[in-house]
Amino acid sequence: MSTPDIAEVDQFRCRVDEIFQKIDKLEKKVNEVEQFYLNANKKKKSSSKGNSIREEQDKGRHVPSIKKQQQDASQRESAAAKRMQELMRQFGTILRQISQHKWAWPFMQPVDVKGLGLHDYYKVIEKPMDLGTIKNQMEAKDGTGYKNVRAICADVRLVFDNAMKYNEEGSDVHLMAKTLLEKFEEKWQLLLPKVTEEEKRREEEEAEARLNIQFVGEASHAKRVQAISNELYEVDTHLEQLRETVVQKCRKMSTKEKRNLGTAIARLSTEDLNKALEIIAQSSPGLQAMAEEVEIDIDAQSESTLWRLNFFVNDVFEGCDKSTAGNNKKKRKKGICDAIAQTVKKKSKKPSS
C-alpha cells in the first residue's frame, strides 16, 4: 500500500470519527430535551383539571423575559407584603378590642407558673401563649415577627384554648377564656373574607409566575430543538458527502456480491423497497419508483448505484439485528471504514506506471 493511499484512509477515518463524535453530542442534547418535555408532561398530567382551560387561554400569550420576571416578582412581593401589613393592622384592631375587655387581664402576660405554684402546668400545656407576647411579636422589627394573619389568629386561639384546657370547666378563668374566645371568633369572621381573598390572589399570582417560568423554559428548549435540527441536517449532509466520496472510489462489485445484493433487496419490506427504488431512480430518471411492479436488473446498474444500494441494504438489516442505536452507529461506522479500506486495498494492487 502506498503512502498516499494510507494517508487517504486516515483522512477518511478522521472524517468518520468527527461525524460520529458530533452524533454522540447531538444524542446527549436530544436526550436532555426529551427529558425536559417528559417532566413537563408529567407535571401537566398531575395538575388540576382546570389546566386545559388555562392552556387554551394561554395560547399566543406574551412571555416576559427572565429579567422582566424578576422585576415583576420583586414588585409582586412588595405589593403583597403591603396588603398583608394592612390586614395585620386590621387584625391589630381586633386584638386591642379583646385586650381591653374587662376579663382580658389574666391573659395579658405569660402565666406565672412558679409564683402560682402550678407544678404540672408544662405537663398539661405544650406551648404557652399570651396576648402580650402576641402583641410584641406583631410589632417586632427584626424579621422575627408574624408573616401572615392566620398565624396570629392561631396564637390568639391558643391563648384561650390553653386556659380552658388547664382550668376546669366552670372555673372563673375557664369561663373568661371561653367568653373572650367567642368574642374574638365573631370579630375574626368579619375579617376572614378579606384574608381569604388575599390568599387566593397570592396563589393565583404564584401560579402565574410558575407558568411564566415554564413557558420560558419551553421557549428555550424549542430554540435548542431548532438548533439540534440544524446540526443534524449538517451532519447528514457531511455523512452523505463522505458516503458519496467512498462510493465513487469503491472497487467494481463482483458477480457474487451482486447476486447477494439482489437477494437482500428481495427481502426488503415494501417501504424499504420503495426507498431502494428511489436510489435507483436517481441514476435512472425513467424508472417509476412507486410503480406496483418493478423489475430490477442488477447488472444494468452503475457501480455507484450498486454501492449505494449495498450501503442502504446493510443499514436496513443491521437496524433489524441490533436493538440499540449505539450498536447501529458502530456498525455503520465500521461499514464506511471497511469500504474505505477495500477501496485503498484495491487501488494498492494496481501496477504502478
Side-chain angles (χ1 to χ4, degrees), residues 119-137:
H119 305 298
D120 62 342
Y121 187 80
Y122 294 116
K123 293 181 180 180
V124 178
I125 303 302
E126 296 179 2
K127 183 183 177 183
M129 185 56 61
D130 64 274
L131 299 179
T133 298
I134 294 173
K135 181 176 181 296
N136 291 336
Q137 193 167 343

Side-chain angles (χ1 to χ4, degrees), residues 62 85 99 301 333:
H62 171 69
Q85 285 295 326
S99 300
Q301 306 306 317
K333 180 177 177 181

Side-chain angles (χ1 to χ4, degrees), residues 12 17 42 46 84 168 227 254 258 284 324 330 342:
F12 278 125
D17 286 338
K42 286 182 179 179
S46 62
M84 184 56 68
E168 294 182 359
S254 67
K258 289 181 182 179
S284 303
T324 62
K330 291 178 181 177
Q342 289 175 5

Side-chain angles (χ1 to χ4, degrees), residues 199-226:
E199 290 171 340
K200 181 179 179 181
R201 178 175 179 179
R202 189 66 185 269
E203 183 180 346
E204 290 175 349
E205 289 177 347
E206 290 176 353
E208 180 76 10
R210 288 194 298 270
L211 200 58
N212 284 337
I213 292 173
Q214 179 183 335
F215 281 154
V216 169
E218 290 179 354
S220 174
H221 279 76
K223 290 181 180 179
R224 290 192 67 188
V225 170
Q226 182 61 47

Side-chain angles (χ1 to χ4, degrees), residues 219-351:
S220 174
H221 279 76
K223 290 181 180 179
R224 290 192 67 188
V225 170
Q226 182 61 47
I228 291 171
S229 177
N230 293 338
E231 290 184 66
L232 283 171
Y233 177 79
E234 182 181 347
V235 168
D236 283 342
T237 301
H238 289 167
L239 193 58
E240 186 60 32
Q241 290 172 351
L242 181 59
R243 181 170 289 190
E244 178 65 27
T245 303
V246 173
V247 167
Q248 291 174 0
K249 293 179 178 292
C250 279
R251 59 178 170 76
K252 187 175 181 180
M253 188 174 286
S254 67
T255 301
K256 182 179 180 181
E257 287 173 326
K258 289 181 182 179
R259 186 167 60 252
N260 291 339
L261 178 59
T263 302
I265 291 174
R267 292 168 51 202
L268 292 174
S269 66
T270 303
E271 181 181 357
D272 289 329
L273 181 58
N274 287 332
K275 293 179 181 178
L277 293 175
E278 289 176 3
I279 294 174
I280 297 174
Q282 290 177 6
S283 58
S284 303
L287 178 71
Q288 295 181 359
M290 302 302 292
E292 292 184 1
E293 293 185 6
V294 178
E295 184 176 346
I296 301 175
D297 185 356
I298 292 293
D299 293 325
Q301 306 306 317
S302 65
E303 291 300 323
S304 61
T305 299
L306 290 174
W307 283 108
R308 285 177 183 274
L309 288 170
N310 190 62
F311 279 127
F312 171 72
V313 169
N314 286 339
D315 281 346
V316 170
F317 290 112
E318 284 166 7
C320 294
D321 294 338
K322 301 295 182 179
S323 59
T324 62
N327 287 332
N328 288 337
K329 187 168 58 181
K330 291 178 181 177
K331 295 285 285 183
R332 290 196 297 271
K333 180 177 177 181
K334 183 177 182 301
I336 295 174
C337 291
D338 287 347
I340 295 170
Q342 289 175 5
T343 300
V344 177
K345 183 178 180 181
K346 182 67 176 177
K347 287 173 64 179
S348 65
K349 292 181 178 179
K350 291 181 180 179

